[in-house]
Amino acid sequence: MVRMRNGCVGVGLALAVIGAVRTASAQESQRTNFELVRDAARAACTQLVGKLPTDARGGEVAIRSVGTHDGSFLVENALAGALAESGMTVLTRPDSLGLELEFEVVDLRIAYPRAWRHAWFGERRLEREASARIFARLVDQDAASILWSEQAESKLSDEVAEDNLSVLEEKGSADYLKATLPEQGWNRYVEPVVVTGIVVGLIALFFSNQNASN
């Protein structure tokens, strides 16, 4: 009976070791998908504002989206923030005259380019990549002419634990804030066999030591 109790302890320890490896970074602090995409949009918008003609800076400008991307409002906020930081006054609605900055979201999304494990039975990690590509043009409504046009692109990446996606993706998120998981490949079949072999090996080693000590 004593050996059985010790055997159960050995099994528990083996499983605990594997569990600890799988969840080692469960408490890591990560930006949500929305936050990562938002930061990529801000970086692209900052680039765009930095490329504005010198004689257009410091004045008033209205912003208008000309695209249909679901993330247009996110980019509009980022663009307004970048313009305000540069010293420009952002109008809530365009005047009949004056400058208007039209923008179109060409690309705004998050992707999971690759997945890996640091060990055979370690947790599965994902690379996240947020992309933002924005086209803009400055229009003089009084002269009905285009003064300037440019585009900017930004990409941000990091890595996260796949087990944390339920939190990082957030419930009810827009489609551009979600991504398809990479295929696991052949190791999805090998890993369960390896893990099982390790557990069996640890149990066998435990009983072997018990018998040797007796």
Side-chain angles (χ1 to χ4, degrees), residues 106-125:
V106 180
D107 184 30
L108 186 69
R109 61 188 170 86
I110 195 154
Y112 305 139
R114 66 189 184 95
W116 71 93
R117 298 182 190 276
H118 291 301
W120 279 110
F121 48 86
E123 68 175 3
R124 192 173 187 226
R125 308 287 295 175

Side-chain angles (χ1 to χ4, degrees), residues 118-185:
H118 291 301
W120 279 110
F121 48 86
E123 68 175 3
R124 192 173 187 226
R125 308 287 295 175
L126 295 174
E127 178 186 359
R128 286 192 307 175
E129 183 178 82
S131 303
R133 184 181 176 194
I134 305 164
F135 173 81
R137 65 181 187 177
L138 188 65
V139 179
D140 184 340
Q141 299 181 90
D142 187 19
S145 62
I146 298 175
L147 304 177
W148 166 91
S149 65
E150 189 57 85
Q151 64 177 343
E153 183 176 8
S154 176
K155 291 186 178 182
L156 299 177
S157 62
D158 65 2
E159 67 175 67
V160 298
E162 183 178 331
D163 291 343
N164 292 345
L165 286 186
S166 59
V167 175
L168 300 178
E169 289 186 339
E170 300 178 303
K171 293 182 179 179
S173 295
D175 289 341
Y176 70 90
L177 297 174
K178 301 175 183 177
T180 302
L181 292 173
E183 293 184 3
Q184 295 186 40

Side-chain angles (χ1 to χ4, degrees), residues 66-92:
V66 297
T68 58
H69 195 284
D70 290 342
S72 293
F73 186 70
L74 185 153
V75 172
E76 182 175 346
N77 285 340
L79 192 54
L83 287 167
E85 289 178 2
S86 73
M88 298 188 71
T89 300
V90 182
L91 304 177
T92 57

